[in-house]
Amino acid sequence: MVFLQVRDVMNQNIVTIDPTESAALAARLLARHNVGALPVCSANGRLQGIVTDRDIILRCVAPEDDPSRVPVKNIMTRHPKALSPADDVRQAAQIMAIQQVRRLPVVEDGRVVGLVSLGDLAKCGKFEMEVSKALTDISENVKRV
């Protein structure tokens, strides 16, 4: 049985954003770095939440708020489930399925050290069944608007 830790597949080149920054800046960072989520961290690197492109659209743009005036803290997902670098990759896939998310922050000693996505798990090529189940579970119960 192959045992891979989250640290083996996570992206360590993460871009974070302060909770007081604007949704517009978050959108620009997402576009500039071609990512779908930003960990929201305080000045000391502590995880406060996570903001996704979807959060910006559904919680800011759709209600016709001005993204340049809406702070990230108003639209982020608070207290996201986080992983440790030592966690098993299978556990990461299970948590993604249960939480219905495609990305999870990786935290060590209270600070964000990486981000792991469903794509990262798929790229490692060893857990096709777990990734497939996670994607099915994530997609199955999507709320229809």
Side-chain angles (χ1 to χ4, degrees), residues 14-30 37-52 56 67-78 112:
I14 52 166
V15 179
T16 64
I17 191 164
D18 186 276
T20 62
E21 294 291 352
S22 71
L25 175 60
R28 286 193 302 275
L29 289 171
L30 290 167
L38 299 172
V40 181
C41 298
S42 58
N44 63 4
R46 303 263 180 214
L47 183 66
Q48 303 291 309
I50 192 162
V51 66
T52 66
I56 295 167
S68 66
R69 295 177 182 258
V70 174
V72 168
K73 66 183 175 186
N74 290 4
I75 62 169
M76 71 182 186
T77 299
R78 296 176 188 279
V112 176

Side-chain angles (χ1 to χ4, degrees), residues 74-133:
N74 290 4
I75 62 169
M76 71 182 186
T77 299
R78 296 176 188 279
H79 313 294
K81 184 72 175 166
L83 300 168
S84 159
D87 286 341
D88 187 329
V89 169
R90 285 182 200 83
Q91 181 183 8
Q94 290 171 345
I95 292 169
M96 287 180 194
I98 291 165
Q99 298 290 315
Q100 291 189 299
V101 296
R102 296 171 191 259
R103 301 165 197 89
L104 290 169
V106 182
V107 176
E108 188 169 45
D109 298 325
R111 292 200 162 97
V112 176
V113 295
L115 195 68
V116 67
S117 71
L118 203 52
D120 295 328
L121 302 183
K123 281 191 277 186
C124 82
K126 297 182 190 297
F127 303 104
E128 290 87 359
M129 292 298 292
E130 289 89 344
V131 170
S132 176
K133 180 175 179 353

Side-chain angles (χ1 to χ4, degrees), residues 1-5 8 86-90 127:
M1 179 170 284
V2 177
F3 176 76
L4 268 182
Q5 293 180 323
D8 299 323
D87 286 341
D88 187 329
V89 169
R90 285 182 200 83
F127 303 104

